[in-house]
DNA sequence: GGTAGGTATAAGGAGTGGTTATGTGGTAAG
DNA sequence: CTTACCACATAACCACTCCTTATACCTACC
């Protein structure tokens, strides 16, 4: 057997780049070193592996035969090393996630569970806040990643939308007759409305949309959580602006009904975001992958 | 990535033998050397790979994870090296030969047979074409070697003439009286002539020779194969320009007769040719040797 | 014909990777 | 309890490998 496995590392690089000089650059060594290494390998195998041409080299039949194996071998080693790294980083460590509480409850929970099952040794550190607050915390390093309502306009953040959500208005029994038919936003705002507090991203999104239509709202109630929106609407205190996907239970059980708007509010997204400038930790990467459903 | 692949060779041995000292013996080195190698690997991966016990070592979780990959990789390298050996011993491989069909039938066949008997595991890949076409294919790497009619004027090709052949004119019964006596080319061209198609090297050779004598031919027939030349001549459709060596059967059986030319056409050769710039594969070398009758 | 880009060759020097010698710890037997 | 043995760790040293610089040679292209 060939004495030095390292020769194969060089061999593979040359095989791929079809050039001694280029391989040398890639390997941070000089061309003569590569030349000698290949020559040594050829000597030890007593086989010509490359055909030298004026414009580089190309594998001989024997060379490409060997290349198939050597390349796979090197790749295997790489994979092994990566597994080790993963193992190391995921058997210890902490994952700091910033998230709004509506999102954490209705969207994130299953992913947290899945991640924990897969990597039981990673501790969670969940920070609650509005989208805006989370962005600030993210930049100060308080959390590794944040799961927010989009849109977010911040060039320093990498955004990964995951699912689309639809803002909608819901009402309880008392408004059933009035809202039996589709109506326009102009008509809607005459009714008592229930919104999230004005600092929340969701509220701002819907409000901005309505302002763009020339409509100004003055909510009857401003509440701190999505749950409260649903409960207030249920006991007929008004018509609540909620996220359809997070109101499934109330809607399917007939506790609440959706307003049929003539002009529907455009969809927006929920997604993960993190700093572009800071490389993600292994655990964070895995978590993002899971949320994006890239594997399993 | 870990700097030295060689560390993995040692790592695998230790992983298998579960002992530094034993691995050291197997690797023909001393125990401290192994000890240091493993420590270096552990340092570079920043991971403990072995649990040291009083009676040897055992792989950690991370270690056995890595071992799976490293061991497969090493085995792959081994297999690759063995394949190379096989290749060298010509127990595997392919030989791509370009050849004209006249030549393959009348000249090459016995050599193909001989080579196959000697190296039964080498596959043939035979490509047909005219001499000119074959040279092109040769340069594009489509074949390893080509067996052609010479002369070939190409400085990038190495030529190995093998046998001389003689171009000659043959005729059937009907022309017997007219051609009983030797005649000159000038007289010959007045008779109906049968040639190969003009793109063939043989045709060009003879035609060039005649032009050099100031004679222009206008063949009655232009045919695609040497066989047809003989058959056409046999049924008295004209006088065919053929290769004497490939017409033995017809001549000895009296089906055809040779024109006795006053100016005989110079002999030319059939031989093997291949690219000067590309070293011959082992199989090709052997084949050339056989065709040149250098051994056996 | 000159230049650019590629590989081969030669010689020298630094550093890796092995050696020997010795230390440490744990187990088992007396 | 003590001693002996076995296995790995540590230290110091040295040689040889491997990489570098310098140079030569070839071909293709302008």
């Amino acid at each position: 057997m060939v004495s030095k496995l390292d020769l194969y590392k060089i061999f593979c690089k040359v095989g791929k780049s079809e050039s001694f000089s280029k391989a040398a650059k890639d390997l941070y060594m000089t061309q003569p070193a590569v030349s000698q290494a290949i020559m040594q390998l050829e000597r030890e195998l007593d086989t010509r592996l490359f055909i030298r041409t004026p414009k580089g080299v190309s594998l001989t039949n024997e060379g490409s035969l060997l290349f198939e194996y050597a390349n796979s071998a090197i790749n295997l080693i790489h994979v092994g090393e990566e597994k080790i790294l993963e193992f190391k980083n995921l058997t210890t460590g902490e994952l700091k996630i910033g998230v709004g509480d509506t999102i954490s409850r209705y969207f994130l929970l299953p992913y947290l569970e899945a991640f924990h099952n897969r990597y039981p040794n990673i501790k969670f550190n969940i920070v609650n806040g509005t989208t805006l607050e989370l962005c600030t915390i993210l930049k100060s390093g308080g959390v590794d990643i944040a799961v927010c309502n989009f849109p977010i306009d911040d060039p320093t953040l990498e955004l990964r939308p995951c699912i689309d959500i639809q803002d909608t208005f819901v009402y309880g029994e008392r408004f059933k007759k009035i809202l039996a038919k589709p109506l326009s936003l102009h008509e809607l705002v005459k009714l008592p409305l229930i919104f999230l507090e004005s600092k929340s991203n969701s509220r701002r999104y819907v409000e901005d949309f309505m302002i763009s239509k020339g409509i100004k709202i003055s909510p009857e109630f401003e509440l701190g959580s999505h749950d409260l929106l649903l409960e207030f609407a249920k006991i007929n205190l008004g018509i609540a602006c909620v996220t359809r996907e997070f109101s499934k239970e109330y809607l399917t059980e007939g506790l609440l009904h959706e307003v049929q708007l003539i002009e529907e509010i455009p969809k927006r997204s929920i997604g993960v975001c993190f700093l572009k400038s800071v490389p993600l930790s292994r655990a964070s990467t895995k978590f993002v992958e899971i949320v994006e459903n890239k594997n399993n």
Side-chain angles (χ1 to χ4, degrees), chain A:
Chain A
M1 177 190 174
V2 166
S3 52
K4 304 205 90 50
L5 280 187
D6 290 325
L7 295 178
Y8 283 109
K9 197 168 62 182
I10 299 174
F11 169 71
C12 282
K13 253 284 179 271
V14 176
K16 275 197 272 254
S17 55
E18 306 231 305
S19 155
F20 284 11
S21 336
K22 188 163 182 321
K25 264 188 211 125
D26 292 349
L27 294 165
Y28 302 102
M29 29 193 261
T30 55
Q31 170 265 316
V34 174
S35 204
Q36 288 176 67
I38 297 300
M39 281 193 293
Q40 185 183 342
L41 193 59
E42 288 180 331
R43 199 176 335 121
E44 293 193 30
L45 292 172
D46 191 27
T47 304
R48 176 137 284 222
L49 298 172
F50 290 100
I51 298 163
R52 275 74 162 173
T53 76
K55 54 202 309 185
V57 296
S58 62
L59 284 161
T60 61
N61 291 334
E62 294 90 332
S64 41
L65 183 64
L66 184 63
F67 180 74
E68 297 300 319
Y69 291 91
N71 197 35
S72 305
I74 304 263
N75 283 337
L76 265 186
I77 298 271
H78 273 123
V79 173
E81 288 176 348
E82 274 174 26
K83 292 280 174 193
I84 284 281
L85 270 185
E86 186 179 323
F87 203 97
K88 259 194 2 171
N89 294 337
L90 296 182
T91 50
T92 169
E94 192 184 30
L95 186 54
K96 287 175 287 185
I97 308 175
V99 61
D101 29 61
T102 309
I103 293 178
S104 71
R105 180 157 161 204
Y106 290 97
F107 169 70
L108 203 61
L109 207 54
Y111 297 112
L112 290 174
E113 200 182 341
F115 185 86
H116 183 67
N117 288 338
R118 181 98 78 93
Y119 308 112
N121 297 300
I122 304 285
K123 287 181 202 147
F124 285 127
N125 185 342
I126 310 278
V127 176
N128 278 79
T130 63
T131 294
L132 212 61
E133 287 165 357
L134 292 175
C135 289
T136 309
I137 299 172
L138 198 54
K139 287 177 188 173
S140 69
V143 296
D144 297 315
I145 56 178
V147 183
C148 313
N149 291 308
F150 289 177
I152 298 172
D153 181 26
D154 189 324
T156 67
L157 296 182
E158 170 95 21
L159 306 178
R160 299 281 181 84
C162 297
I163 60 162
D164 284 342
I165 54 173
Q166 174 68 58
D167 295 289
T168 186
F169 290 86
V170 296
Y171 57 89
E173 212 55 36
R174 209 186 95 192
F175 294 94
K176 215 166 180 178
K177 272 167 279 178
I178 313 176
L179 295 168
K181 291 182 182 168
L183 81 169
S184 70
L185 283 172
H186 286 90
E187 292 166 316
L188 181 68
V189 290
K190 292 169 190 163
L191 301 168
L193 295 179
I194 311 174
F195 270 83
L196 280 174
E197 51 193 347
S198 63
K199 69 172 182 176
S200 90
N201 205 41
S202 305
R203 157 75 178 272
R204 286 237 306 276
Y205 176 73
V206 176
E207 194 167 356
D208 285 352
F209 169 70
M210 294 176 85
I211 285 173
S212 78
K213 298 279 177 189
I215 299 166
K216 190 168 180 324
I217 57 169
S218 53
E220 204 83 358
F221 298 99
E222 299 200 339
L223 307 177
S225 87
H226 195 268
D227 287 337
L228 285 178
L229 292 177
L230 295 168
E231 286 299 323
F232 270 49
K234 191 178 103 182
I235 58 176
N236 299 305
L237 292 176
I239 294 152
C241 176
V242 300
T243 303
R244 181 184 291 158
E245 285 73 14
F246 300 162
S247 313
K248 284 256 172 67
E249 285 181 25
Y250 285 76
L251 292 171
T252 53
E253 287 182 19
L255 300 172
L256 292 174
H257 314 279
E258 272 192 75
V259 173
Q260 295 164 60
L261 272 181
I262 292 172
E263 322 95 317
E264 214 176 39
I265 301 166
K267 281 186 176 357
R268 60 197 171 101
S269 303
I270 282 180
V272 189
C273 56
F274 45 88
L275 290 173
K276 279 179 180 166
S277 54
V278 179
L280 278 188
S281 77
R282 197 92 191 156
S284 304
T285 307
K286 285 291 168 196
F287 187 78
V288 172
E289 277 175 16
I290 285 178
V291 174
E292 287 185 315
N293 279 307
K294 275 192 178 162
N295 51 3
N296 293 36

